[in-house]
Amino acid sequence: MLDYEAEAAHYDRTRGGVPRAEAAAEAVLRLVPPGARTLLDVACGTGLVTERLTRAGLRVYGADAAHAMLRAAAGRLPGRTVRADARRLPLPDASVDAVSAVWLLHLVPFAPEIVAEAARVLRPGGVLIATVDKDAAHDVGSDIDEILRPHRSETDAGDRSDLITRHATAHGLDPAPGDHFTGHGQGRTPDDTVRRLRSGYFASWYDGDPTSTETLAAALAALPDQDRPRDDPRYRLASFVKRG
């Protein structure tokens, strides 16, 4: 788990910046019901996506657990941010029309609790919108992926779509049509992939021993165009509607 207090200073720059944020916000808004009046963006980070969730009649709020992230978000969403754990939101039951969770569920071991809390604060007919299968989205069929694919395991991914669907239905949220968006600026290079592999960045799907890691690193280092980013990933948004 990254230290998001430290990450805040360079988070936007290293995560695709405005183009990726705009793509994410547009996709989220496509899934928000036309009559929705309130949306809570949990784990809003610096608010780069949240401030772009704009639509006539829709009031958007952001919540995050990291002080540094929230300081950045507060400048983008004045008077509409709160420091909160996504598992314990400072809201009454059935109080908002939509909850979004972008790039959150893959990071934590308690995704079921987040889904349950979103279900609690949603009004009947409200919608939970969340990114799922994030790590899998980074397999874009590139030469990098040809090397890594045999070593991938999605078993431990906390944001697997089948798991999130199971958690959602257990808390009164029915699956609804989802969407996809492009992760602009997130295409990987062989050189960067080697650094991430050695640092343990891929721990959610790779648990190889040091010898295997170095074998993979050597194969990646032999690829052409070491600094050329491969295709950007296509992230998946799942959507769930509260019964009643």
Side-chain angles (χ1 to χ4, degrees):
M1 184 72 174
L2 293 174
D3 179 354
Y4 283 94
E5 298 291 354
E7 286 283 308
H10 57 266
Y11 187 85
D12 294 343
R13 175 175 51 81
T14 58
R15 299 303 196 284
V18 170
R20 189 176 80 145
E22 288 180 341
E26 289 169 5
V28 169
L29 286 173
R30 287 194 293 268
L31 300 177
V32 176
R37 292 292 175 263
T38 51
L39 182 151
L40 177 67
D41 189 28
V42 297
C44 68
T46 65
L48 193 65
V49 173
T50 322
E51 72 169 337
R52 288 166 170 78
L53 296 171
T54 58
R55 190 170 76 191
L58 183 65
R59 185 75 168 169
V60 178
Y61 302 87
D64 203 280
H67 283 291
M69 289 288 197
L70 213 54
R71 280 196 297 271
R76 291 170 165 149
L77 305 160
R80 291 183 285 133
T81 59
V82 63
R83 185 168 185 260
D85 187 315
R87 297 168 289 180
R88 291 180 291 277
L89 297 171
L91 292 171
D93 295 354
S95 55
V96 296
D97 298 313
V99 173
S100 58
V102 179
W103 303 308
L104 169 61
L105 300 182
H106 71 289
L107 293 171
V108 297
F110 44 79
E113 296 173 65
I114 295 173
V115 172
E117 183 68 346
R120 182 187 70 79
V121 302
L122 281 170
R123 297 188 178 107
V127 62
L128 167 63
I129 301 161
T131 46
V132 294
D133 301 324
K134 182 176 183 289
D135 287 335
H138 280 273
D139 185 340
V140 297
S142 71
D143 51 356
I144 294 173
D145 297 314
E146 290 295 324
I147 292 171
L148 295 179
R149 192 174 298 125
H151 303 270
R152 281 183 175 274
S153 172
E154 306 301 336
T155 303
D156 296 329
D159 71 333
R160 269 176 32 212
S161 55
D162 62 318
L163 293 179
I164 300 305
T165 298
R166 189 186 311 163
H167 303 325
T169 54
H171 292 283
L173 301 173
D174 292 327
D179 210 329
H180 291 80
F181 63 95
T182 300
H184 295 288
Q186 297 299 289
R188 289 177 176 154
T189 68
D191 184 61
D192 182 56
T193 303
V194 168
R195 284 196 297 271
R196 294 184 181 211
L197 185 68
R198 285 172 169 158
S199 71
Y201 185 90
F202 302 131
S204 63
W205 57 262
Y206 173 74
D207 60 358
D209 57 69
T211 300
S212 298
T213 296
E214 288 309 308
T215 299
L216 284 175
L220 290 164
L223 291 175
D225 305 315
Q226 283 286 300
D227 296 320
R228 176 179 63 81
R230 276 41 173 182
D231 290 346
D232 289 327
R234 287 275 292 167
Y235 294 123
R236 180 181 176 191
L237 277 175
S239 177
F240 305 92
V241 178
K242 187 170 182 179
R243 294 175 205 140

